Amino acid sequence: MDMPASWQQALAKIDIAKVEQAVKDYGPAIQVVRDTWDRATLEEIADGKLFVSDEMMNDAIAKSLADAGDTAPVKGLRLQSLANGRLKITADTRKVGPVELTGTIEDFVHDGDKSYMKFRVREKNIPQHGLMSWVFSRISLSMAERMVGHLEMPEDLPVKIKHNTIFVDYSDVLAASRLGQTEVRGHRLLDMVEIKSATPQEGGILFETRLDVPDDVKASLLELVK
């Protein structure tokens, strides 16, 4: 990915000695930044548009299923983002066999202490609320992982289902993540990132994002993850 001219100009103004001193002063925080983001991801977040491929999300889901083992109600779970803005979900369940749903992401938000997803199922009624709570817990966290790093799946992630709308509150999971537990000058790294929306496109989901830090800090972060 070619770096935008604005980033090149900002990086040219960086005092490398100050950056090196910042690494010494905030070593743990800088390590979390490096472990969480590569340069391409950070540039996309800062530019306000981050694309996460279906392959990335399905890999994260597969790891979650492997961790759950044979006790999981689902043997397989895959996402497919469609060109019409809908998300197709296919679950291979142990009790009722294949279940297929298509719907829209009404909200996908992270802003400070608010982190949630609202999904509306189209075309059919939601089968087995307990099963869908389990499924959408994994879907929501897989969608967030590229922005906030690996997330541990809790046993009691809050999920509410009303009619054909599913609401997942994953704020406590993000707060417990490495970004949520690491601070710089009293500010959580997690609070640097805002997620405003998520829109399925062919091949993946486009997230509208914001990196809530001054331009010189953005440039320093990019230098640290180059």
Side-chain angles (χ1 to χ4, degrees):
M1 178 184 295
D2 293 332
M3 193 189 312
S6 59
W7 290 117
Q8 293 177 351
Q9 294 171 0
L11 288 172
K13 298 177 182 179
I14 292 177
D15 185 331
I16 298 300
K18 290 183 179 180
V19 173
E20 291 175 346
Q21 185 60 47
V23 173
K24 294 178 182 178
D25 291 344
Y26 306 113
I30 297 303
Q31 189 59 52
V32 171
V33 168
R34 286 174 168 165
D35 290 345
T36 304
W37 295 314
D38 57 24
R39 187 184 193 90
T41 299
L42 193 57
E43 283 183 354
E44 288 187 60
I45 292 173
D47 286 338
K49 301 291 184 183
L50 176 68
F51 185 77
V52 181
S53 70
D54 290 343
E55 181 180 4
M56 287 183 178
M57 292 182 288
N58 286 324
D59 284 347
I61 290 172
K63 290 176 183 176
S64 176
L65 291 180
D67 291 341
D70 294 338
T71 60
V74 170
K75 295 185 289 184
L77 177 61
R78 292 193 63 80
L79 306 180
Q80 182 184 0
S81 303
L82 305 176
N84 64 1
R86 294 191 177 188
L87 184 65
K88 180 180 178 181
I89 300 162
T90 305
D92 183 9
T93 71
R94 296 186 188 277
K95 289 187 176 181
V96 297
V99 173
E100 187 175 289
L101 299 173
T102 303
T104 52
I105 302 170
E106 303 291 294
D107 294 299
F108 195 96
V109 172
H110 166 65
D111 185 1
D113 292 329
K114 296 188 300 181
S115 307
Y116 61 88
M117 179 181 78
K118 185 165 72 172
F119 186 90
R120 185 176 179 186
V121 175
R122 308 285 180 169
E123 300 171 353
K124 64 167 62 178
N125 293 325
I126 297 174
Q128 296 192 23
H129 285 195
L131 173 63
M132 288 299 103
S133 293
W134 195 96
V135 165
F136 278 90
S137 295
R138 272 112 188 118
I139 290 174
S140 62
L141 297 192
S142 74
M143 290 170 61
E145 281 201 352
R146 190 179 174 201
M147 285 162 279
V148 299
H150 177 68
L151 298 168
E152 295 294 335
M153 174 59 64
E155 295 182 1
D156 56 349
L157 188 67
V159 180
K160 296 180 181 178
I161 300 177
K162 185 175 181 180
H163 304 303
N164 274 22
T165 299
I166 300 161
F167 182 91
V168 183
D169 182 346
Y170 57 94
S171 53
D172 288 346
V173 179
L174 293 198
S177 69
R178 292 182 73 192
L179 286 186
Q181 294 292 305
T182 306
E183 295 186 352
V184 174
R185 297 181 181 177
H187 299 283
R188 298 187 305 172
L189 290 177
L190 180 63
D191 294 334
M192 292 183 180
V193 180
E194 292 182 18
I195 306 171
K196 299 179 180 181
S197 66
T199 305
Q201 301 180 348
E202 186 172 359
I205 297 177
L206 184 65
F207 292 85
E208 184 182 0
T209 61
R210 179 170 178 257
L211 192 61
D212 189 18
V213 294
D215 288 343
D216 59 337
V217 176
K218 292 179 186 177
S220 296
L221 289 172
L222 283 168
E223 178 66 19
L224 291 166
V225 298
K226 69 179 180 179

